[in-house]
Amino acid sequence: MADEASTARARELREHLERWNHEYYVLDAPSIPDADYDRALRELAELERSFPELIDPESPTQRVGAPPLDVFESVAHPIPMLSLDNAFSEDELAAFVRRICDRLDVDETPELVAEPKLDGIAVSLIYRDGRLWRAATRGDGTRGEDITLNVRTIRAIPLRLQGDDWPAELEVRGEIFMPRAGFEAFNEQARRAGEKPFVNPRNAAAGSLRQLDSSITAKRPLDFFAYAAGQHPDDGWPASHWEVLERFRGWGLPVSREARRVASLEACETYYREMEARRDGLAFDIDGIVYKVNAFAAQRELGFVARAPRWAIARKFPAQEAMTTLLGVEFQVGRTGAITPVARLKPVFVGGVTVSNATLHNMDEIARLNLHEDDTVVVRRAGDVIPQVVSVIEERRRENAPVVIAPQSCPVCDSPVERVEGEAALRCTGGLVCPAQRKASLRHFAARRAMDIDGLGDKLIEQLVDRGLVRNVADLYHLTQEQLCALERMGEKSAQKLLGAIEKSRQTTLPRFLFALGIREVGEATAVSLANHLGSLEAIAAADEDTLMAIPDVGPVVAAHVWGFFTSAQQEVVAQLREAGVTWPDVERAVDNDGPLKDQTWVVSGRLESCSRDEAEERLRGLGARTAKSVSGKTTVLLAGPGAGSKLAKAESLGVEVIDEAEFLRRVQAGAEG
Ligand code: IVH
């Protein structure tokens, strides 16, 4: 039985977690770091595991999903879920406003509420006694599917309403959607794994909700906004839509902050223009603006036609997807030799701009699309994301059209092309022999966040490489005024300026320098981490993969690339750069390597009771030890909890010392005291 203290602690944790959840998902204003949230959630899960009677179906721990269903049950909506009429122009919106004025027999436009039209999936949420009781899809408007288990995993949707002034039975309607960032990340991961990406965030949201196994839905980044009430008691109910939205907010339901009251056609138009301008910068897709008559009395008077209300209308934005023809596929070579196929398209107006190129990502994507020459394709451009080809209209394919195939050699330098196992990318093997790779690595080197060489733009790099003046980044430091002045569009003044910028870049910092080298998988954050933990370029260049993996954020892939870089011919360029006078101040190392466990390499594996593996590693590093992720001849000690498995076997076969958690705690204690 749970003692009083555990019961009270579980209640306290739940209250905290619910508040933090609300701050994060509904108010968009988190007050604590994610790690603190995770820690509290873990503590609560631990308590519930020890004392199952503490489990509460509304507990924040219950958002991980439930056992899979066989089918979704079909359920009836208490009130039909309607659709909206569309207006595609200002004139059509004006006609809507005129119609409502006529019907209401008024001269002035009644107050309207304008809201973004979210491009997601409509849902009905029924709350009974303030608890989420049932969630259903729209279906055919009369009956939908019961997706309660899936919806319960969405953290933006409260499992319990806040306050106590909600009706005993309340139906909330709104839209579930996948924010763009989550969608892009999900697709990126799917593409890397060779799996099928989603065509757009709306399909991603629909696909995620259609899972019979809610633990899958739980892993998808879904979000929600409430935009109307369905069934509700009339007693004490507000008189306007706006007030309902305010009540929703008070009950902890997320409501779009963009909703506004507007009182004239001009105000509608202004709002529309403003939202259209901001559309690309929003975190999620919207496909228009919904205008709703605010007063319920007026709504009742206006009523419905067929399946849509007369008191609301959707003014659509220009589409973010459009059809066009594929003119060809070009294979572009990047800094690391990765070859990216780019579709050349017949120009088409989509998402507010004219698009004539779209990324095809990699060969797997071309295969998935089953892309043939001259195909009719659907392109999508949303937000500031690069336009993409999302699907092919196979019915429109011309007869005998050849399929698009991968190049056998680099389209720029003709070196053989390789395909690395486990990677979707094709790579040119030419390295710095390949002018495309050379140009791209120069662009990266000169970038603002790398060596910050002002004035070294794309056009200039083209000329420098094509004329053979610069073969690698170190050659930049030997350019002369004369050489520069001989280039197109380069006067004496700009040549001098550029030389000045190159000169200035000689004084840099270690993280910038590391980032500028363009080592694969080493972004700015990793460069900072490497510099802070190893302190000098020499130490980084000398580090083996285990040492590298002991650094936070450095996994086996990054470690292999860093190690590979400094043991390859590329280190020659590093030497040339140093000879050319590129320098930086020393970096103070973040780790205390003079601790009692100095010179020891530890590996932590299996389950621990007193702390997580990460925390154990952190403590070990605090005492001067290095920590690694795999057991090798260099391992000093393996700390093995239950389930250590293959690492334990390896340590035993290599004769590495193996200790359990009790011994670990004893040594850490001794180390800390001594
Ligand atoms: S109100 C009777 N408000 O648009 C009016 N709908 O085309 C019911 N939608 O199925 C809808 N954002 O999925 C309303 N702010 C919003 C909306 C919105 C998106 C969707 C909803 C509905 C569809 C109608």
Side-chain angles (χ1 to χ4, degrees), residues 82-84 115-118 122 138 175 227 290 292 309 311:
L82 303 172
S83 57
L84 291 169
E115 309 166 4
K117 184 168 192 297
L118 304 152
R138 176 167 181 270
E175 200 89 347
Y227 54 59
V290 184
K292 302 170 182 174
W311 44 262

Side-chain angles (χ1 to χ4, degrees), residues 4 83 137 165 202 227 253 262 352 422 442 480 536 556 599 647:
E4 236 172 73
S83 57
T137 59
D165 57 343
R202 182 173 193 282
Y227 54 59
L253 289 157
V262 284
L442 280 164
T480 63
S536 70
D599 295 334
K647 287 185 188 159

Side-chain angles (χ1 to χ4, degrees), residues 193-303:
E195 287 159 15
K196 201 176 149 178
F198 283 112
V199 165
N200 55 39
R202 182 173 193 282
N203 285 20
S208 302
L209 287 176
R210 219 180 288 121
Q211 299 292 332
L212 288 166
D213 182 350
S214 52
S215 68
I216 298 179
T217 314
K219 297 195 187 92
R220 303 283 172 82
L222 297 174
D223 207 337
F224 171 78
F225 278 133
Y227 54 59
Q231 196 177 42
H232 60 81
D234 290 330
D235 247 15
W237 196 249
S240 71
H241 176 61
W242 186 258
E243 289 165 273
V244 168
L245 296 183
E246 284 184 332
R247 288 234 183 148
F248 279 178
R249 284 198 189 97
W251 293 331
L253 289 157
V255 172
S256 168
R257 262 186 293 268
E258 312 297 342
R260 298 278 181 279
R261 281 172 290 189
V262 284
S264 67
L265 187 58
E266 292 71 48
C268 287
E269 233 3 69
T270 308
Y271 180 84
Y272 176 86
R273 296 275 161 235
E274 276 173 15
M275 288 307 291
E276 191 183 20
R278 289 181 43 209
R279 182 186 190 188
D280 280 1
L282 295 179
F284 42 83
D285 276 6
I286 63 175
D287 58 352
I289 302 297
V290 184
Y291 299 98
K292 302 170 182 174
V293 172
N294 191 22
F296 290 140
Q299 285 191 9
R300 272 190 296 274
E301 206 176 323
L302 289 161

Side-chain angles (χ1 to χ4, degrees), residues 259-454:
R260 298 278 181 279
R261 281 172 290 189
V262 284
S264 67
L265 187 58
E266 292 71 48
C268 287
E269 233 3 69
T270 308
Y271 180 84
Y272 176 86
R273 296 275 161 235
E274 276 173 15
M275 288 307 291
E276 191 183 20
R278 289 181 43 209
R279 182 186 190 188
D280 280 1
L282 295 179
F284 42 83
D285 276 6
I286 63 175
D287 58 352
I289 302 297
V290 184
Y291 299 98
K292 302 170 182 174
V293 172
N294 191 22
F296 290 140
Q299 285 191 9
R300 272 190 296 274
E301 206 176 323
L302 289 161
F304 302 86
V305 244
R307 320 221 33 225
R310 280 204 195 90
W311 44 262
I313 197 151
R315 167 100 149 87
K316 293 301 232 15
F317 285 140
Q320 289 181 315
E321 286 180 9
M323 234 161 40
T324 187
T325 322
L326 179 71
L327 301 178
V329 176
E330 188 176 295
F331 292 90
Q332 290 182 345
V333 186
R335 173 168 58 85
T336 60
I339 298 180
T340 309
V342 174
R344 299 275 169 245
L345 305 165
K346 187 163 163 230
V348 60
F349 192 73
V350 54
V353 297
T354 302
V355 167
S356 44
N357 301 312
T359 179
L360 287 161
H361 299 285
N362 54 45
M363 288 314 296
D364 282 359
E365 182 72 358
I366 291 186
R368 180 186 76 75
L369 291 164
N370 185 23
L371 194 64
H372 288 55
E373 287 178 18
D374 307 329
D375 264 349
T376 300
V377 296
V378 177
V379 269
R380 171 181 165 79
R381 184 194 169 271
D384 43 16
V385 179
I386 312 165
Q388 331 218 353
V389 172
V390 292
S391 58
V392 168
I393 315 283
E394 302 212 356
E395 296 74 28
R396 297 215 181 178
R397 178 167 298 147
R398 80 171 153 83
E399 227 175 300
N400 302 324
V403 68
V404 173
I405 52 163
Q408 301 297 304
S409 60
C410 173
V412 178
C413 72
D414 215 28
S415 298
V417 157
E418 67 171 3
R419 188 159 179 164
V420 183
E421 184 125 12
E423 276 183 37
L426 282 181
R427 259 170 221 293
C428 158
T429 55
L432 287 182
V433 168
C434 177
Q437 291 191 47
R438 247 187 268 159
K439 288 174 189 169
S441 65
L442 280 164
R443 277 196 294 273
H444 176 79
F445 186 82
R448 197 169 46 77
R449 283 141 77 179
M451 300 299 275
D452 192 18
I453 306 179
D454 205 21

